[in-house]
Amino acid sequence: MATTAPAAHRCSYEDYEATADWLRSQTEQLPKVAIICGSGLGGLAELLDNRAVFPYRDIPNFPQTTVEGHQGQLVFGTLEGHQCVCMQGRFHTYEGYDVYKVTYPVRVFSLLGVRTLVVTNAAGGLNNSYNVGDIMLIKDHINMPGLVGNSPLCGPNDDRFGERFPCMSDAYDRDLIALAKQTAEEQGIGAFVQQGVYCMVGGPNFESIAEGRALRTFGADAVGMSTALEVVVARHCGLRVLGLSLITNMVVTDYESKQKANHAEVLETTLMRTKDLQGLVRRILAQMTEDPEDL
Ligand code: HPA
């Protein structure tokens, strides 16, 4: 497998800048926090005050979203005193986008001045102690595409974004995880908030039984089709990251089981828990201070 994409597939600094410049020409809001809304979790963007909304189709160089449950617009606004930008709909490699396009918005956010990235996703539970509807605070990830050489950092490094060999052992900010945990307790939802390892796979098919078992053996607590690539790029450009997975289904790992994973179940569970997740993110932001490195 080629580990370096043809140059045509990679995006240049000027591409990212052109997108950031266009957004700056449309709104005076300067977000410090970006929120990526996972499948069925776009309602988070509805919480923002003073909203300015930009459909992806109007934004220069932006990919288009093609998945049910993903709306396809950027929403700027304020939430609990923080200037935010929300992605209502994200991009996935299974849509046919390469890893550079999937992560394109993250570098644009960085150029806009974003310092903190909150990522949410829908995920299948692998840890036997989890239940459908649990919220998992991501403490680490296994980036399957990246491990086999399909990383958005492949190709010449652009030092204006970050260093050639970024560290990933501190990808998920431990202070933000602690804050999220404490906030969940205060909100009375601590009983169904977990902490675990998220594994990103390519999808779009759900896992076979053998794959589910293998991922669990690797140390994954939940599996999904997004997030890790965006987080790698966010860390490359120095953003701090908080990740939340909503466990929408349990991965089938038993040959006796009659269960079958499906997207309708994923969307149904997000509907059931979306208010709790939104409430959690809102309360976390209410208590979150600026990135200490910025002060
Ligand atoms: N597997 C992969 N991705 C997912 C799942 C799953 O079971 N559920 C939601 N996203």
Side-chain angles (χ1 to χ4, degrees):
M1 178 192 298
T3 53
T4 306
H9 288 187
R10 293 194 301 266
C11 309
S12 69
Y13 195 84
E14 290 68 33
D15 292 330
Y16 298 108
E17 250 185 353
T19 307
D21 283 348
W22 185 86
L23 287 165
R24 274 194 221 100
S25 76
Q26 303 292 310
T27 172
E28 292 185 345
Q29 298 195 34
L30 293 172
K32 286 280 184 196
V33 177
I35 304 173
I36 303 183
C37 306
S39 284
L41 299 168
L44 266 169
E46 316 290 337
L47 303 180
L48 304 190
D49 295 320
N50 303 320
R51 289 153 46 92
V53 180
F54 304 100
Y56 294 160
R57 66 174 171 277
D58 294 343
I59 306 175
N61 302 331
F62 239 63
Q64 307 301 313
T65 185
T66 67
V67 192
E68 196 193 334
H70 287 258
Q71 266 161 296
Q73 51 190 25
L74 273 191
V75 182
F76 288 71
T78 331
L79 184 58
E80 298 293 344
H82 295 274
Q83 291 279 352
C84 296
V85 55
C86 267
M87 276 183 80
Q88 252 182 341
R90 61 141 60 83
F91 311 111
H92 308 84
T93 48
Y94 66 71
E95 293 173 85
Y97 291 121
D98 61 45
V99 290
Y100 308 95
K101 277 290 185 199
V102 165
T103 56
Y104 188 86
V106 178
R107 282 186 165 168
V108 172
F109 296 154
S110 163
L111 289 177
L112 287 176
V114 164
R115 300 294 307 137
T116 304
L117 178 69
V118 178
V119 269
T120 66
N121 59 50
L126 290 163
N127 185 318
N128 279 328
S129 71
Y130 288 6
N131 293 302
V132 169
D134 282 356
I135 293 170
M136 183 184 85
L137 307 174
I138 306 178
K139 69 171 183 202
D140 201 351
H141 71 215
I142 301 171
N143 174 10
M144 283 289 182
L147 286 179
V148 297
N150 195 13
S151 166
L153 303 184
C154 284
N157 186 58
D158 193 327
D159 297 333
R160 287 169 288 189
F161 286 117
E163 61 187 305
R164 171 77 287 189
F165 300 110
C167 174
M168 278 306 135
S169 58
D170 59 353
Y172 297 86
D173 189 275
R174 304 221 168 107
D175 292 338
L176 289 182
I177 292 175
L179 174 63
K181 181 84 191 135
Q182 184 201 325
T183 308
E185 300 289 349
E186 287 164 11
Q187 196 182 330
I189 61 168
F192 61 83
V193 173
Q194 315 278 0
Q195 271 184 55
V197 174
Y198 175 88
C199 179
M200 177 183 177
V201 294
N205 57 283
F206 292 104
E207 295 65 41
S208 71
I209 291 175
E211 287 165 348
R213 290 178 173 199
L215 295 180
R216 186 188 283 152
T217 307
F218 283 169
D221 296 297
V223 55
M225 305 171 194
S226 67
T227 302
L229 298 172
E230 293 146 334
V231 170
V232 164
V233 168
R235 293 302 297 150
H236 182 242
C237 47
L239 308 191
R240 84 185 156 154
V241 174
L242 173 67
L244 304 129
S245 292
L246 178 59
I247 307 299
T248 52
N249 58 286
M250 290 305 289
V251 175
V252 180
T253 52
D254 175 1
Y255 287 101
E256 304 303 312
S257 171
K258 296 265 187 291
Q259 299 279 333
K260 286 179 173 206
N262 60 83
H263 192 53
E265 184 189 8
V266 169
L267 293 180
E268 213 172 283
T269 311
T270 54
L271 220 57
M272 169 181 109
R273 272 286 185 256
T274 197
K275 287 277 172 288
D276 289 318
L277 193 76
Q278 285 175 20
L280 181 59
V281 172
R282 178 193 274 280
R283 283 164 206 248
I284 292 169
L285 286 196
Q287 301 196 49
M288 188 179 91
T289 46
E290 296 289 308
D291 187 344
E293 286 177 21
D294 279 353
L295 300 177

